[in-house]
Amino acid sequence: MAVLDYASKLINSVSSKKALSASEKLTECIPEQKNHLIKGEKFVCGFAGMNIMPDDTASESYWLAGFKPGNRITGVIDPLTVNAMWLGCGSEGIIFISADLIGLTGYDVNQIRGQLNGFCSETGCKGVVVSCTHTHAGIDTVGYWGRLPASGKNKKFMLLLLSAVKIVCRRAYNSRKTGRLYSGFANVPDVARDSREPLFFDDRLTRLRFVPDDGGTETWYLNYCAHPNTLGADNSKISADYPCYIRKKINETKKTNIMFSIGAAASISIKGEYSDELQKTKKAGCVLGEKALGIDNDKELAPEILFSQKFYSAPVDNTVLYLMKILNVVSARVVKSGSSLGVGLLSELDYIKIGDFSVLTVPGEIFPELVYPGHYSTKEESSVNDPESVNPKTLSEIAGDENIVIFGVTNDMTGYIIPPNDFVLNIQQPYLSTANDRFGRNHYNETNSLGPNAAYALAEAFSQQIDCINNFLPKGQ
């Protein structure tokens, strides 16, 4: 324990000094919000996907992301893919990207967008939205999961990924067709479980369904809230986890193009007891695939897309994560902030309204009680004996839409976003070791969060974004 106490003091000292030095040279430098309204007579949609498996996993050192550092990949259960979906009206649109990866930092998302500048200019693309399915059995694309203090990112794989993204975006655009777009959902409460109080999650499996006019292959965008971490910490083989088996189940019945993103997943995982973890993974994918096929409450959406991009400074208080940046384990875009370290991550919220179906992209793993009202811990239940009122207004209240859908781990990976009245740190070893609260409950998630102010900053940024949108839109819309 004395060793960890010393290590914690050293980390805090080094990170604080380096951050102070960096902040003196930084400006806030936040790009202005961009709002686009895209209209047309019909929706236009295209899809493309491809395998992103390197051919040298047996000879090269690749690290499995998601559970523990230094877990070298030893095989492949099912391949990783990257998919792209063009969605527009008329001559303009946006491109959605979904990759079977743990996540990408804003730095790498910026690299992806940079190589798509020409594509955007040529196609009338008004937004590039980069989601990761958050599989815990993919190749490390963040850096945390190598042999520390070396980064776990493999440069060759990152180049392969960049190349694949460019290809699928172009193919998706070139394959576009006119058609109709529908939204629907199914409640699936029995597949997932919440492991942290208060026990609550959004049990909707939502579906955007594009039906081309020519009767060809449909394109679906699915969203569900559980972590794809089903194969467990002992696994060392590559897999896209349960989203892979959702795709397989659906395509057994109906040839369909599938996109997937996680919702407000926080501490939510797939539940169930099986003889092995792969069986559990396949079963979850099978059940969710069947539920997706059975959605019967589709509502047709009007061909109109509002796309809003809001950058903001996400305050960094976590000295351990900042040390990772100092050591070049992770890449980050840093701006000035009012955090305890004086620095923040340049992060992003995208608000997308398609007809009356609204999506908010969140740059991390957000607790669902920050999204949907009525679920914050009371003062009596709070880990730190604080009332609900210390928490920010929920995102659905800010949006004025109780059905808003969250695309988590999108456009950045900033870790867990935790309600302030449930945020507990280890006093002696903050962010280095976990802590137990006054009820004896473990608070692992705080060690992988930016800090206690992340939720406030996100809610404030979203409030500003909605205000700006309201001023941008024609009156009465």
Side-chain angles (χ1 to χ4, degrees):
M1 189 63 69
V3 173
L4 285 178
D5 286 348
Y6 174 77
S8 180
K9 289 178 181 178
L10 182 61
I11 289 168
N12 290 340
S13 175
V14 170
S15 293
S16 297
K17 287 177 182 177
K18 290 285 187 181
L20 177 61
S21 176
S23 67
E24 290 173 348
K25 302 169 188 174
L26 291 170
T27 61
E28 195 160 59
C29 203
I30 307 294
E32 289 187 3
Q33 181 171 328
K34 294 179 181 178
N35 302 314
H36 299 282
L37 191 59
I38 302 168
K39 293 185 176 184
E41 294 184 2
K42 287 207 167 186
F43 281 107
V44 182
C45 182
F47 173 89
M50 67 183 294
N51 186 306
I52 51 170
M53 291 297 298
D55 58 10
D56 58 354
T57 53
S59 57
E60 182 78 11
S61 290
Y62 291 96
W63 307 103
L64 208 71
F67 280 105
K68 55 190 177 185
N71 187 10
R72 184 174 176 176
I73 288 167
T74 60
V76 179
I77 297 171
D78 52 76
L80 306 176
T81 63
V82 62
N83 300 303
M85 172 183 172
W86 171 274
L87 186 65
C89 306
S91 61
E92 296 180 332
I94 56 180
I95 193 85
F96 292 95
I97 299 160
S98 176
D100 292 326
L101 300 170
I102 189 76
L104 293 164
T105 67
Y107 177 91
D108 287 311
V109 170
N110 192 50
Q111 298 290 105
I112 287 171
R113 288 173 172 165
Q115 71 163 6
L116 292 175
N117 281 338
F119 168 83
C120 292
S121 297
E122 294 168 27
T123 62
C125 181
K126 299 303 181 184
V128 177
V129 182
V130 184
S131 294
C132 293
T133 62
H134 200 50
T135 175
H136 284 46
I139 295 170
D140 186 2
T141 46
V142 177
Y144 297 158
W145 293 282
R147 283 187 177 158
L148 298 174
S151 175
K153 287 171 69 173
N154 182 289
K155 291 181 180 178
K156 188 161 56 173
F157 179 71
M158 296 305 292
L159 290 173
L160 184 155
L161 173 65
L162 285 169
S163 174
V165 167
K166 192 171 183 179
I167 291 169
V168 294
C169 288
R170 177 61 68 178
R171 288 178 179 171
Y173 177 78
N174 289 341
S175 72
R176 67 199 188 282
K177 298 177 179 180
T178 60
R180 298 176 181 273
L181 189 66
Y182 303 84
S183 68
F185 69 93
N187 295 106
V188 192
D190 298 327
V191 169
R193 64 177 178 86
D194 193 351
S195 61
R196 174 167 162 162
E197 298 282 348
L199 302 180
F200 159 70
F201 62 92
D202 176 17
D203 67 9
R204 291 175 301 163
L205 171 67
T206 62
R207 181 183 72 180
L208 278 176
R209 181 171 73 103
F210 176 77
V211 181
D213 289 334
D214 66 3
T217 304
E218 295 183 5
T219 298
W220 296 2
Y221 205 131
L222 301 177
N223 176 271
Y224 190 66
C225 73
H227 268 68
N229 60 359
T230 316
L231 289 164
D234 293 332
N235 172 58
S236 61
K237 294 182 179 179
I238 287 174
S239 172
D241 208 274
Y242 75 81
C244 169
Y245 298 97
I246 292 177
R247 295 189 287 249
K248 286 188 175 184
K249 180 60 182 178
I250 292 170
N251 276 282
E252 286 175 5
T253 301
K254 176 186 178 73
K255 186 178 184 319
T256 311
N257 302 319
I258 307 290
M259 301 280 288
F260 181 85
S261 68
I262 63 164
S267 54
I268 299 145
S269 301
I270 298 296
K271 71 176 182 180
E273 298 298 328
Y274 297 90
S275 58
D276 65 74
E277 301 302 331
L278 181 56
Q279 183 186 0
K280 177 179 173 181
T281 305
K282 290 180 176 180
K283 178 64 176 177
C286 180
V287 171
L288 288 166
E290 287 175 346
K291 289 289 187 179
L293 286 162
I295 290 172
D296 60 2
N297 55 8
D298 271 347
K299 178 174 63 175
E300 186 170 359
L301 302 174
E304 178 176 299
I305 302 170
L306 168 68
F307 176 79
S308 173
Q309 181 184 47
K310 168 73 174 179
F311 286 98
Y312 74 105
S313 175
V316 179
D317 295 289
N318 188 323
T319 52
V320 176
L321 290 186
Y322 193 72
L323 181 65
M324 297 276 198
K325 192 268 180 192
I326 294 169
L327 296 174
N328 294 317
V329 172
V330 298
S331 301
R333 297 182 296 170
V334 180
V335 292
K336 200 173 186 69
S337 167
S339 71
S340 60
L341 294 177
V343 295
L345 294 182
L346 178 60
S347 201
E348 175 182 349
L349 300 171
D350 292 347
Y351 179 73
I352 307 156
K353 193 164 187 181
I354 307 165
D356 62 358
F357 180 87
S358 59
V359 170
L360 178 66
T361 72
V362 171
E365 302 162 69
I366 192 167
F367 278 73
E369 51 267 36
L370 286 162
V371 181
Y372 305 104
H375 300 284
Y376 283 136
S377 294
T378 63
K379 183 178 183 352
E380 292 73 27
E381 299 164 339
S382 164
S383 299
V384 291
N385 200 32
D386 278 346
E388 300 169 65
S389 58
V390 306
N391 298 314
K393 195 174 184 180
T394 63
L395 300 181
S396 63
E397 290 174 301
I398 294 169
D401 183 357
E402 64 182 5
N403 295 314
I404 193 168
V405 173
I406 298 299
F407 281 12
V409 196
T410 297
N411 297 325
D412 201 354
M413 188 170 175
T414 63
Y416 290 99
I417 304 163
I418 302 167
N421 84 332
D422 194 40
F423 195 98
V424 177
L425 282 178
N426 185 308
I427 296 173
Q428 298 298 323
Q429 300 154 19
Y431 303 109
L432 183 63
S433 299
T434 62
N436 290 332
D437 65 19
R438 64 194 182 113
F439 302 109
R441 301 177 302 210
N442 184 266
H443 282 248
Y444 147 76
N445 307 90
E446 283 82 343
T447 63
N448 193 21
S449 74
L450 294 183
N453 297 306
Y456 292 127
L458 190 149
E460 176 60 24
F462 188 42
S463 293
Q464 294 171 1
Q465 185 173 27
I466 291 296
D467 287 344
C468 182
I469 289 169
N470 289 336
N471 290 327
F472 164 77
L473 290 173
K475 287 186 178 180
Q477 188 160 346

